[in-house]
Amino acid sequence: MPYVASVLELMELLHGGPDDQGLRTAALLRRSHPFDKELQLAGLLHDIGRLLRLSDGAITVGVAAEAIRPLLGRRVARLVRLSGAPGEEGAHGTEGAPGARHDAEPDADTDTDADAAAEADSEAVATLRHARDSAAVADLDAGVLEDWRPLLDLVAAGARRGGPARNALDPLGAPRGSKRPVRGRP
């Protein structure tokens, strides 16, 4: 199974993409959900399966999600995988294409953990699909791919730290006056 080992490798892969629908999707998600960085990255990467051609030429949503999971964490991978659910019209633009497969490979979690996480992210998946569909017809300036590199670095650093899957809202801890506990402190 192919893995994307670094943000640099991911950026090179994304630069090879022919269109900017991922950029438009991520830009729409940045506007509608500015604090959910992982959702924004899932929007940017929702179509990465087309760029990760397997040896048999198939595009597999589960394999694409697993390829980015070690770098960006479970939640981003889960959102990418679920955004291209089986039987969905236009998932990765390959529905009905010869050799296209939409098998969902499980996370490294247990089945109950994965089911609970998928249920918790069902609203995020619906939002991602809506943004993806809107971006397909939207004519908006989404910026350039390099604008997303700092966010990719931030989320990748959070995924390397390990621990429970958390959204990369603030790498320095809770904002002042927040009741949210800071990781590693009682």
Side-chain angles (χ1 to χ4, degrees):
M1 175 179 316
Y3 285 103
V4 180
S6 68
V7 171
L8 178 63
E9 186 179 331
L10 181 60
M11 291 294 288
E12 289 174 359
L13 185 66
L14 291 172
H15 277 294
D19 64 18
D20 63 346
Q21 184 178 0
L23 280 173
R24 290 191 310 266
T25 302
L28 288 172
L29 290 167
R30 180 179 274 174
R31 291 176 186 167
S32 65
H33 293 77
F35 297 111
D36 195 344
K37 308 304 185 196
E38 292 169 333
L39 177 63
Q40 294 169 27
L41 288 184
L44 179 67
L45 301 172
H46 77 274
D47 207 19
I48 195 165
R50 286 193 310 155
L51 303 174
L52 287 172
R53 294 282 177 178
L54 303 176
S55 61
D56 64 356
I59 302 167
T60 308
V61 176
V63 170
E66 283 301 305
I68 60 170
R69 185 180 57 80
L71 179 65
L72 298 174
R74 289 182 178 140
R75 183 166 185 252
V76 175
R78 184 173 43 253
L79 290 173
V80 167
R81 185 180 64 241
L82 294 174
S83 72
E88 179 182 338
E89 182 86 20
H92 286 251
T94 61
E95 189 66 22
R101 294 190 319 244
H102 295 283
D103 53 323
E105 295 179 7
D107 276 340
D109 302 78
T110 63
D111 287 340
T112 55
D113 289 345
D115 290 343
E119 187 174 318
D121 282 333
S122 62
E123 184 177 332
V125 171
T127 301
L128 175 56
R129 288 179 180 169
H130 178 72
R132 181 192 64 210
D133 294 343
S134 297
V137 296
D139 185 28
L140 66 110
D141 181 17
V144 296
L145 186 58
E146 287 301 318
D147 294 342
W148 292 93
R149 185 172 187 137
L151 185 60
L152 285 165
D153 287 331
L154 177 70
V155 172
R160 277 192 304 269
R161 279 194 304 262
R166 293 198 176 138
N167 198 2
L169 292 177
D170 187 355
L172 302 176
R176 289 184 188 160
S178 174
K179 303 289 186 212
R180 186 169 56 108
V182 177
R183 206 179 324 182
R185 294 191 178 155

